[in-house]
Amino acid sequence: MKRRSFLLFLSLFIILSLILIDNAIAVCPVCTLAVGAGLGLSRWLKIDDLVSGLWVGALIVSLTFWTDDFLKKKKINFQFSHLIILVIYLLLVILPLYFSGIIGHPLNTILGIDKLIFGTFLGILLFYLAVYLNDYLKSKNNNRVYFPYQKVIIPVAILLVTSLISYFLLK
């Protein structure tokens, strides 16, 4: 049953990704570093896996944008490149965590899904929404940001707020 719910969740995620992702939108290096630092800090502080998963998912998306942008600059284009890169990074993260025993503990679940996996997919979704929110705000302001470092602040703020909400709900 647990495997079935995970496969259903993964299938829905991939279908939504195919529908929502159109072009690569490069994410800045500062944002990637902030996400990575947030992940390291949450693991060091022994924060719940759902919260850590949010940062894992955001880091995966950031790396996906970087890799897709790098490949496009090298004139390496293929259909669904963004989605394929995302799935590869997901597998590179989730499989080692699964085989090392970090993912899969029966008491570490939310809605029948491992907290780290659930948080990762939620982090992926939130990071994409933050990137699109930044682009939307820029489009409303003649393709200019409203405030300095907007591209960094929006995703990190959304992840921080969601992390705090999740942390206090699970406490």
Side-chain angles (χ1 to χ4, degrees):
M1 180 66 178
K2 184 176 171 182
R3 180 183 170 132
R4 189 175 178 181
S5 61
F6 171 71
L7 290 175
L8 176 65
F9 187 72
L10 183 61
S11 299
L12 287 172
F13 176 77
I14 290 172
I15 290 168
L16 283 174
S17 296
L18 283 171
I19 293 168
L20 297 176
I21 299 171
D22 54 354
N23 292 325
I25 305 162
V27 175
C28 71
V30 176
C31 199
T32 301
L33 289 174
V35 168
L39 171 61
L41 182 64
S42 69
R43 293 304 285 174
W44 182 68
L45 294 173
K46 303 205 184 311
I47 294 175
D48 191 83
D49 280 348
L50 176 67
V51 177
S52 296
L54 290 170
W55 295 90
V56 169
L59 186 58
I60 288 171
V61 173
S62 187
L63 290 171
T64 299
F65 278 123
W66 268 24
T67 304
D68 199 28
D69 193 43
F70 172 79
L71 291 175
K72 284 185 169 72
K73 285 179 183 175
K74 297 289 182 187
K75 307 270 191 266
I76 302 172
N77 295 315
F78 50 94
Q79 190 172 14
F80 302 118
S81 63
H82 192 84
L83 180 63
I84 292 169
I85 294 165
L86 176 68
V87 170
I88 289 170
Y89 276 126
L90 267 171
L91 292 174
L92 286 172
V93 170
I94 291 177
L95 289 177
L97 291 174
Y98 176 76
F99 288 119
S100 66
I102 293 173
I103 292 176
H105 192 279
L107 299 176
N108 192 32
T109 62
I110 187 166
L111 303 173
I113 301 169
D114 187 90
K115 284 183 179 181
L116 195 54
I117 291 174
F118 186 84
T120 299
F121 283 99
L122 183 59
I124 287 170
L125 178 66
L126 290 173
F127 201 82
Y128 276 120
L129 289 174
V131 169
Y132 286 111
L133 175 61
N134 176 61
D135 288 344
Y136 173 77
L137 291 174
K138 278 177 55 180
S139 72
K140 292 295 179 185
N141 195 26
N142 295 324
N143 214 27
R144 296 176 60 204
V145 295
Y146 282 99
F147 50 90
Y149 301 105
Q150 173 181 312
K151 189 176 188 178
V152 175
I153 292 170
I154 289 175
V156 172
I158 288 174
L159 287 169
L160 279 173
V161 168
T162 306
S163 295
L164 287 171
I165 292 170
S166 300
Y167 178 76
F168 288 117
L169 286 176
L170 296 171
K171 198 83 170 142

